[in-house]
Amino acid sequence: MSAPIEDYALIGDLFSCALVGLDGSIDWLCLPRLDSPACFAGLLGDPENGRWQIAPVAGGKSTRRRYRGDTLILETEWETPEGTVRVVDFMPERGEAADVVRIVEGVSGRVPMRLDLRIRFDYGQAIPWMRRTGDHLAGIAGPDSVWLRSPIELEGRDFAHRATFVVCEGDSLPFVFTWHPSHLPAPRDVDPYEALAGTERFWTEWSAQCTYSGRYRDAVVRSLATLKALTYDPTGGIVAAATTSLPEAVGGVRNWDYRFCWLRDATMTLEALLRSGYRDEAKAWRSWLMRAVAGSPEDLQIMYGVAGERRLEEYELGWLAGYENSRPVRVGNSAAKQLQLDVYGEVADSLYLAINSGIQQERHAWSLQSSMMGFVERHWSDPDEGLWEVRGPRRHFVHSKVMTWVAVDRAVRMVENFDRRGPVEKWRALRDEIHREVCAKGFDAERNTFTQSYGSRELDAALLLIPRVGFLPPDDPRVIGTVEAVQRELTTDGFVERYATGEEEHGVDGLPGREGAFLACSFWLAGALQQIGRGKEARDLFERLLDLRNDVGLLAEEYDPRLKRQVGNFPQAFSHVPLVLTAYDLEGHDGMRGARHAAARP
């Protein structure tokens, strides 16, 4: 049986991440980048697909664990009849090579320990050729090599390396696992204790920059640190999650690769960083965005690789059984080629937010935005696949239309507020035209709610963003009616689903089976309730959502109210970003949103 998704904690070095389970096993690690093939892929199969476990011989889940302060240094402890032992896991700042450091510390008594190392390159498929080189155990397969420096001798057997040893009070045994291109000489050794001190210093200083000081500071700082860990430092790109193919419904087929950068996340991520004082990260993310979308607006994608790569071909890894037999396991994401008109609004909103926050605009930014406006003028009335990347037929999704309105509105504001040149009268007329059409065709007057698409009766949680993006003010009866309709029709146990799903492949997304409640949407509901004046409900829901975090403060994409567990890729940036923004909203820190846009009125 796979461990529950919430059993995992995250460590990372701003190039890649690893997931460490409560049982002391690293079951997921992609090197050298966040989107590289995994060398430990047990998360999506079994231990034979790769893992590295250090734990007491007695086995079982740890007694307790925590991050050291506001860092990404993980401390896992087991209390056993023989004594207490601690494993300290972290990934130090990337130097010559990528390192994972594990330090086993004896807290009390004498604890028998075991180590089980199974290196499997290429997502669990390639078993490396292993050899001993001095005090290192080295493994090579194709382009990859790994080097393990161990204070104890490991025995190789059955394509794994194992050891048993005893840790006494006061002992400290460091293990350093290093990835390096196989064609290069062995990398220089990292001093594990110097690396630990440097890693603690980096994360402590970084977290101290957070300007949020409200009652939810711990949750906000942990969410921001998670967002930082999902950043590919060389480019500033931020991936949606550290994993691929963790299922939205256990045993189902809704299993996608989220190790890419989505434009849909752009504005909210930028706002969370800027509100929290992280201007350098916000600039880097904005710069990544500008590089990624440069070129013809006709070629704009909804997502890109961490360095801005466009080709994200989707294929299946048939040799992996999938998390709890949830198949297929997918790499790449064919949704990258979908038409999602909302991304034009996201890009325009991000550029406006950045300049309105004092970040100097790059020289070609307005030229790009103006070019995008030409595309929006020609195509805003087309059907598309919508925000949620549905694999069914294209529709006139209301959220997509609202975001094309945002694209035009921000262009108008750039002219009005920042002296940019453009046909502002034509754009004002287009903005009004889109607004009229959405209110006429996307609103169900009988039920007093906007709908998922023109002419449909279905709802969509993305409609909760209508007041946030300024399309209508929060006190508009249509906004209040939409919030109440989503709360009434799209919630299970108070948590929000993206839209109605069914068991057959004739639903809006063209996929069978159900999914869990979408955590970002649930945070959106809390924010919307706050906006329409129902503050106690908003805070109650927000605090229930905080209770869903695992023991180290992390959230997956979704929560299954029926199974009472997290589902979907993990940890999910699109869950942690709205957590941060909702915390600000509940504290009344809404100045930035007010400065971005004033809500329209018909």
Side-chain angles (χ1 to χ4, degrees):
M1 287 292 293
S2 302
I5 291 170
E6 53 265 42
D7 275 9
Y8 289 97
L10 180 77
I11 58 174
D13 65 356
L14 310 187
F15 283 72
S16 189
C17 295
L19 295 186
V20 187
L22 277 168
D23 62 352
S25 181
I26 297 179
D27 290 340
W28 184 253
L29 174 62
C30 300
L31 292 173
R33 300 194 338 177
L34 289 150
D35 57 352
S36 296
C39 60
F40 299 139
L43 179 70
L44 298 179
D46 59 38
E48 285 302 316
N49 298 123
R51 70 143 180 208
W52 181 16
Q53 184 178 42
I54 302 178
V57 169
K61 294 183 177 181
S62 58
T63 307
R64 58 185 167 269
R65 66 176 175 178
R66 62 169 189 166
Y67 284 114
R68 182 179 293 184
D70 291 331
T71 76
L72 220 66
I73 299 169
L74 181 68
E75 298 181 340
T76 306
E77 292 186 1
W78 287 263
E79 291 182 357
T80 75
E82 296 86 1
T84 300
V85 66
R86 177 187 303 122
V87 177
V88 180
D89 291 315
F90 64 98
M91 294 176 69
E93 183 178 0
R94 185 75 62 98
E96 180 182 352
D99 301 289
V100 177
V101 180
R102 314 193 75 180
I103 301 176
V104 183
E105 299 177 342
V107 178
S108 65
R110 300 178 74 257
V111 183
M113 300 289 289
R114 60 186 171 88
L115 182 151
D116 183 70
L117 175 67
R118 306 174 194 221
I119 304 166
R120 303 289 188 268
F121 295 120
D122 196 18
Y123 299 106
Q125 181 175 232
I127 300 174
W129 169 53
M130 306 295 296
R131 71 183 191 277
R132 299 187 188 279
T133 304
D135 61 348
H136 291 84
L137 178 67
I140 294 176
D144 301 294
S145 74
V146 292
W147 305 75
L148 177 69
R149 185 153 48 99
S150 168
I152 61 172
E153 187 172 345
L154 279 64
E155 177 187 2
R157 178 166 42 88
D158 298 329
F159 304 107
H161 283 78
R162 302 180 179 88
T164 56
F165 55 101
V166 174
V167 178
C168 301
E169 181 176 344
D171 286 349
S172 180
L173 303 177
F175 299 81
V176 181
F177 179 93
T178 302
W179 179 95
H180 205 47
S182 62
H183 65 280
L184 297 178
R188 289 190 295 269
D189 288 339
V190 167
D191 183 301
Y193 299 105
E194 289 182 3
L196 177 60
T199 302
E200 182 170 10
R201 183 168 54 252
F202 169 81
W203 283 105
T204 299
E205 292 174 355
W206 187 87
S207 297
Q209 298 174 46
C210 178
T211 56
Y212 177 87
S213 59
R215 64 192 293 184
Y216 304 115
R217 180 174 171 80
D218 288 347
V220 167
V221 171
R222 180 52 53 197
S223 292
L224 290 167
T226 302
L227 195 64
K228 179 70 170 175
L230 295 175
T231 301
Y232 184 62
D233 192 62
T235 66
I238 302 174
V239 299
T243 57
T244 179
S245 298
L246 288 181
E248 296 173 11
V250 174
V253 301
R254 298 169 182 266
N255 317 319
W256 315 109
D257 193 347
Y258 275 15
R259 298 170 299 157
F260 307 116
C261 307
W262 265 258
L263 299 190
R264 74 181 183 202
D265 303 1
T267 307
M268 291 185 185
T269 300
L270 197 66
E271 183 178 353
L273 291 170
L274 287 169
R275 277 182 148 185
S276 303
Y278 291 104
R279 293 182 64 82
D280 288 344
E281 285 76 9
K283 290 178 183 177
W285 173 235
R286 197 278 310 270
S287 294
W288 173 90
L289 178 69
M290 290 302 301
R291 293 192 304 272
V293 305
S296 170
E298 305 281 346
D299 300 326
L300 189 71
Q301 296 185 180
I302 67 166
M303 71 181 87
Y304 297 86
V306 295
E309 296 90 346
R310 290 173 172 267
R311 294 191 177 186
L312 310 177
E313 283 84 357
E314 182 179 307
Y315 59 95
E316 298 179 4
L317 307 181
W319 61 88
L320 289 175
Y323 178 86
E324 292 195 18
N325 294 313
S326 303
R327 290 179 171 172
V329 173
R330 296 181 174 96
V331 168
N333 200 314
S334 63
K337 297 299 183 182
Q338 287 187 352
L339 174 64
Q340 295 184 20
L341 292 170
D342 66 288
V343 299
Y344 294 88
E346 297 291 359
V347 172
D349 201 14
S350 297
L351 297 178
Y352 183 75
L353 172 60
I355 193 171
N356 205 40
S357 301
I359 296 179
Q360 185 174 358
Q361 193 170 57
E362 297 175 6
R363 285 187 306 168
H364 64 288
W366 178 241
S367 175
L368 173 65
Q369 190 170 353
S370 299
S371 179
M372 286 172 46
M373 278 301 303
F375 181 89
V376 171
E377 290 173 31
R378 296 189 301 273
H379 295 284
W380 74 268
S381 59
D382 294 345
D384 71 340
E385 276 90 3
L387 171 72
W388 303 123
E389 301 158 23
V390 300
R391 307 240 170 165
R394 289 182 176 180
R395 303 189 182 200
H396 291 282
F397 287 101
V398 170
H399 176 263
S400 296
K401 306 300 186 191
V402 168
M403 293 307 294
T404 62
W405 177 91
V406 168
V408 182
D409 177 75
R410 303 312 186 257
V412 169
R413 292 175 186 275
M414 291 291 281
V415 174
E416 293 175 339
N417 300 334
F418 297 102
D419 297 323
R420 297 301 188 263
R421 293 185 178 182
V424 68
E425 292 302 328
K426 182 173 72 168
W427 289 345
R428 288 187 184 120
L430 176 60
R431 181 177 61 178
D432 292 345
E433 180 185 356
I434 297 172
H435 200 282
R436 285 193 300 271
E437 179 176 298
V438 171
C439 292
K441 296 183 178 180
F443 183 74
D444 184 338
E446 180 183 344
R447 295 157 63 213
N448 191 33
T449 181
F450 285 95
T451 59
Q452 184 177 52
S453 59
Y454 289 176
S456 72
R457 291 186 60 83
E458 291 85 4
L459 298 181
D460 191 316
L463 300 169
L464 295 168
L465 299 175
I466 284 175
R468 187 171 193 91
V469 301
F471 185 81
L472 284 172
D475 61 354
D476 189 289
R478 292 165 293 184
V479 169
I480 296 171
T482 300
V483 174
E484 292 175 342
V486 168
Q487 190 176 28
R488 182 175 60 249
E489 299 183 29
L490 285 184
T491 59
T492 300
D493 194 24
F495 303 118
V496 183
E497 298 177 0
R498 292 187 291 181
Y499 47 83
T501 57
E503 298 300 325
E504 304 298 330
E505 295 190 25
H506 54 67
V508 65
D509 59 16
L511 296 167
R514 299 185 62 85
E515 62 179 18
F518 205 76
L519 292 174
C521 300
S522 300
F523 283 113
W524 293 347
L525 177 58
L529 289 169
Q530 175 74 12
Q531 287 179 279
I532 66 173
R534 290 160 57 174
K536 184 179 185 307
E537 281 185 73
R539 193 174 294 275
D540 288 347
L541 174 56
F542 182 73
E543 293 180 355
R544 286 191 68 201
L545 289 166
L546 293 187
D547 288 341
L548 300 183
R549 296 173 301 152
N550 71 357
D551 58 315
V552 289
L554 301 182
L555 288 169
E557 180 185 22
E558 300 180 9
Y559 176 74
D560 190 326
R562 291 166 287 273
L563 299 178
K564 308 295 183 186
R565 59 183 295 190
Q566 295 192 33
V567 290
N569 283 304
F570 176 88
Q572 177 83 358
F574 208 45
S575 297
H576 285 281
V577 167
L579 183 158
V580 173
L581 295 178
T582 306
Y584 276 104
D585 291 346
L586 293 176
E587 298 289 339
H589 300 294
D590 59 355
M592 179 173 292
R593 182 152 40 87
R596 273 171 59 198
H597 44 253
R601 289 189 183 274

